[in-house]
Each structure stands twice: as structure tokens, then as C-alpha cells.
Amino acid sequence: MGQPDQRAEGTGPFTTRLTWQPPGGGTAVWESRPARRRGLIAVRPPGAADAHDAGADDTTLGRMRRLNAVAATAFIIGGALFAAGAAVAQFGSGDATTCASIYFAGGLFFNTGGYVSLLQVVNAPRHVPGGEGALVARGWRWWSYEPMRVDWLSAFVLFAGTLVFAVDLLDSFLQGLTVQQVNRLIWAPDVIGCVLFLISGHLAFAEICHGRPCLRQRDLGWWIVAVNQLGSVLFMVSALAAYTRPATGSLINADIANWGTLTGALCFSAGGILQQYERP
């Protein structure tokens, strides 16, 4: 980082793109998302006009593909179940317990997707700053603590958000709650989970745009982040509309709450479908 032939880009304390000259000459460019999602690093050999993508070893790429498939599938199913729960609530085709059960099942898939997304970051191949343009895999790990990495922080906050949602979904099975208890035990965790999802999405944009606003219409990773962030916004709209008025005991707007959840959940399912194609 302090060497004169290396150039770091990013936002705040986070480095999301690093350019350096390998010992053998030429140029190597590491970018956070392509490296951890697709196992790629851009290398331009000495005297070459264009760079080419160098990949990690086959064993690492296979591990990355499996993790990506599990995470993407979990978000597809979780989003579909949340959408189904919202549809049941909106169109009155089931009671409150039925809706809560569908939401809870969807929440389990969101928990799975969130944790596997964190595993993708923890077990992603790493670059060697100042070394040859290559990605090196470490041994398998179930956990790491790397808050100075924006990809780790984004995935961790996302996973934390899914766990907070789990509290909300479990509390929704409770019966005989007062309005104050409903707002404290169900609504508050819902809002906190939405805030965490929004923060995770903001960090993901910072990673892919290197700290600057950007629109990358031909970048699949950008679209995945954008679609998921739209889903987070719709979830927040839904959560705010689901606040129970103490004076009347009714929601601010049940229709907005249900439709916000339904459309937001479909965004996460769509993001999962797109993620299936962002693989090594």
C-alpha cells in the first residue's frame, strides 16, 4: 500500500481496487467484487496492449461456484416465500398464523443466504499486493473478523439483518400482545432489519463503484446490487407502513405494508436469479 508503484482506490478506509506492477513487469489490477465472486484478476503482461483475466485454481473456483449457487438459491426461495406470505395477507386467503408460518420459512432461507454470502467473502481467494498477478486461496474457514474489508462488512451486516428479521418473525407467532408490545417486539426488529439491509446495500455499492456514484448498465454485479437495494427500500417502506397506531390499534397502511413486502421480496428473488450467473 505504501509502495510508489501501487495505486489503491476505494472509499474511506476500504480498498476496493488495487493496481500494481508485478516483479516480472506489466500491470496487475485487483478489484474486490470480481475477485471474490468470479475469482478473477486483470493482468497485462509486459509489452502487451490489452489485459487478460487470470483466474484462481480449479479447486477454488469449484468451491466458489458451489457457495454462489447455495446463496443465490436461498435468496430465490426466501424471496418467493416472503412474496407468497404477503400475497396471502393481502388477499385474505389465510389466517395470521398461516402468514407467519410462510414468512418464517422464508426467513430461514434468508438466514441461509446471508450466512453463505458471508462464507463467500471469508473463503474468497486473496491477492498478494506487490506480488505476481494471481489469486491465492486459503484453507476453508467458517468465520473471520475483517471489518476493514468493505465486502466482509457488507456481508456481515446483511447476515445480521437476516438474524434480526428472525426475531421479528418468531415474535409474530405470539398471541394476545398489546399494541405497545406489537410495536416493540415485531415492528421494531422489522425496521432494524430493514436498516441493516440498506446499510449492506450501500456498502455493496461502495465496493462495486469504488466509493463514487456510478451507473454500470453492462455490469451484472452492479445490477444485482441495485435490484437487491431496491428490494431493501421496498422492505423499509413496508415496515414503516406496518406501524400499529396506539390510538386505533390498526396499521398505518396495511395495503402498502403487504405490497411493499411482496414487491421487495420479488426483488430479492430476482437478485438471486441474476446471482446464479455471476459465478466463476
Side-chain angles (χ1 to χ4, degrees):
M1 299 290 281
Q3 299 178 22
D5 58 345
Q6 296 187 25
R7 180 165 57 91
E9 299 172 72
T11 177
F14 306 119
T15 298
T16 58
R17 179 162 56 197
L18 188 65
T19 304
W20 73 92
Q21 182 178 3
T27 305
V29 180
W30 167 88
E31 290 193 60
S32 177
R33 191 176 181 97
R36 70 179 176 86
R37 285 297 185 97
R38 304 184 64 194
L40 297 177
I41 187 171
V43 178
R44 182 176 62 80
D50 300 314
H52 68 273
D53 289 328
D57 62 89
D58 291 341
T59 300
T60 301
L61 294 178
R63 181 174 69 186
M64 294 173 69
R65 292 188 191 103
R66 290 190 292 272
L67 286 172
N68 187 73
V70 172
T73 301
F75 283 120
I76 292 170
I77 298 174
L81 287 170
F82 260 68
V88 169
Q90 177 63 23
F91 300 112
S93 53
D95 57 21
T97 302
T98 300
C99 294
S101 299
I102 297 173
Y103 281 137
F104 183 73
L108 293 178
F109 281 98
F110 272 118
N111 293 151
T112 301
Y115 179 58
V116 177
S117 295
L118 185 59
L119 287 179
Q120 285 183 282
V121 175
V122 171
N123 293 288
R126 310 300 176 92
H127 67 293
V128 181
E132 295 294 341
L135 293 172
V136 180
R138 297 180 177 180
W140 176 264
R141 293 185 296 173
W142 293 100
W143 170 253
S144 71
Y145 181 69
E146 304 173 85
M148 298 309 293
R149 289 182 56 187
V150 69
D151 54 348
W152 183 92
L153 194 58
S154 176
F156 175 76
V157 172
L158 174 69
F159 179 48
T162 67
L163 294 180
V164 175
F165 276 136
V167 174
D168 158 36
L169 297 172
L170 280 173
D171 289 346
S172 65
F173 285 101
L174 299 175
Q175 303 291 326
L177 298 178
T178 65
V179 171
Q180 290 75 17
Q181 288 173 325
V182 168
N183 286 332
R184 184 175 69 254
L185 299 176
I186 300 176
W187 180 79
D190 189 15
V191 171
I192 294 171
C194 291
V195 169
L196 291 173
F197 268 40
L198 287 170
I199 293 172
S200 173
H202 175 75
L203 292 170
F205 267 124
E207 177 192 21
I208 205 167
C209 296
H210 309 297
R212 300 178 298 273
C214 70
L215 175 62
R216 298 185 175 182
Q217 297 180 354
R218 297 184 180 182
D219 188 331
L220 178 59
W222 186 92
W223 280 106
I224 293 170
V225 173
V227 169
N228 285 335
Q229 188 70 335
L230 175 59
S232 298
V233 171
L234 291 169
F235 270 12
M236 177 58 82
V237 171
S238 170
L240 294 177
Y243 179 77
T244 303
R245 294 186 180 95
T248 63
S250 61
L251 303 186
I252 289 178
N253 193 308
D255 289 339
I256 292 178
N258 291 331
W259 281 106
T261 298
L262 193 155
T263 52
L266 291 178
C267 284
F268 281 104
S269 282
I273 293 172
L274 292 176
Q275 185 178 331
Q276 292 282 11
Y277 296 94
E278 193 190 25
R279 60 182 183 270

